[in-house]
Amino acid sequence: QVQLQESGPGLVKPAQTLSLTCSVSGASITSGNYYWSWLRQAPGKGLEWLGYSFYSGGTFYNPSLNSRLTISVDMAKNLFSLSLISVTAADTAVYFCARGKQRFAKWGQGILVTVSS
Amino acid sequence: DIQMTQSPSTLSASIGDRVTITCRASQSVSNWLAWYQQKPGKAPRLLIYDASALETGVPSRFIGSASGTEFTLTITGLQPEDFATYYCQQYNSFFPLTFGGGTKVEI
């Protein structure tokens, strides 16, 4: 049974870079032709899809992020990562990793990241 | 972007009730629509995909349907564990994927 687990700092200063990783267990990140996505949910708000990556390349990002986002896959470590530059308070949210590129049946538990000085 | 408009935003119901949540797309998404259930502090759970297909392990009381750009999630015989927030999500226009604003089902 595949499981996903987010990790990273819970507090990031404004203008800095938010970096998170999603560790995948129970399956290889290269198996099944799956894509790997990041989504987020601001406190008390709805869900926002951020982007996805495939293990052999091929990424797709939400244009609302204005080219601030990078998603990458580390096959050796069986994980994928999110890097969001130039963060502001508006980037405060619970960040979820998920398997899939269109609909999402497998999710991590989520990690709250607060942007504050 | 395709806008997904859910209604109502809040719904009060009782155990055993039949409840209906509606999601309207701003343009055609064909049947590329999913429904999720989210409980406080938890990740969303996929219930329905392709507008009406039941995800494995989801109880059959959850029913999805579609008519043009209007989609409906019906819960027949509301159970205590069904009190949660429900979201629709379109995946026809992949650039980008978009979600509805959510419907909170409360007692």
Side-chain angles (χ1 to χ4, degrees), chain A residues 37 39 41 45-49 52 60-64 96 101-105 107-110, chain B residues 1 34 36 38 41-46 49-50 55 87 89-91 94-97 99-101:
Chain A
S37 289
L39 303 95
Q41 187 170 35
K45 302 297 185 182
L47 294 156
E48 180 184 21
W49 171 77
Y52 75 73
F60 215 55
Y61 303 130
N62 192 324
S64 70
F96 295 100
K101 71 171 184 176
Q102 293 182 307
R103 59 182 190 263
F104 310 103
W107 297 68
Q109 65 184 26
Chain B
D1 298 5
Y36 297 85
Q38 187 179 33
K42 300 293 187 181
R45 173 195 182 193
L46 178 64
Y49 63 93
D50 296 352
E55 174 68 4
Y87 293 94
Q89 176 231 323
Q90 66 82 17
Y91 49 96
F94 190 70
F95 198 70
L97 304 178
F99 289 82

Side-chain angles (χ1 to χ4, degrees), chain A residues 10-46:
Chain A
L11 180 65
V12 180
K13 289 182 167 50
Q16 293 192 342
T17 298
L18 186 165
S19 297
L20 299 173
T21 61
C22 181
S23 298
V24 179
S25 60
S28 170
I29 204 166
T30 63
S31 66
N33 288 322
Y34 288 111
Y35 289 75
W36 304 93
S37 289
W38 286 96
L39 303 95
R40 69 182 179 182
Q41 187 170 35
K45 302 297 185 182

Side-chain angles (χ1 to χ4, degrees), chain A residues 59-81:
Chain A
T59 54
F60 215 55
Y61 303 130
N62 192 324
S64 70
L65 296 169
N66 297 323
S67 303
R68 296 190 295 129
L69 177 66
T70 302
I71 297 175
S72 59
V73 175
D74 187 329
M75 290 182 281
K77 294 182 179 179
N78 215 48
L79 57 79
F80 60 108
S81 302

Side-chain angles (χ1 to χ4, degrees), chain B:
Chain B
D1 298 5
I2 294 180
Q3 306 303 315
M4 306 301 293
T5 303
Q6 271 185 252
S7 61
S9 55
T10 305
L11 187 160
S12 296
S14 301
I15 302 300
D17 281 355
R18 175 189 177 100
V19 302
T20 299
I21 300 167
T22 299
C23 181
R24 182 172 286 107
S26 60
Q27 62 190 76
S28 175
V29 298
S30 187
N31 278 345
W32 304 122
L33 185 112
W35 289 98
Y36 297 85
Q37 175 194 68
Q38 187 179 33
K39 296 182 178 179
K42 300 293 187 181
R45 173 195 182 193
L46 178 64
L47 300 175
I48 300 284
Y49 63 93
D50 296 352
S52 60
L54 195 66
E55 174 68 4
T56 302
V58 175
S60 58
R61 64 180 179 272
F62 292 92
I63 301 168
S65 62
S67 177
T69 59
E70 186 167 296
F71 300 85
T72 299
L73 174 67
T74 300
I75 311 171
T76 59
L78 198 67
Q79 297 300 301
E81 61 268 29
D82 299 337
F83 291 95
T85 300
Y86 294 84
Y87 293 94
C88 62
Q89 176 231 323
Q90 66 82 17
Y91 49 96
N92 179 61
S93 172
F94 190 70
F95 198 70
L97 304 178
T98 49
F99 289 82
T103 296
K104 184 177 182 180
V105 177
E106 59 183 22
I107 300 174

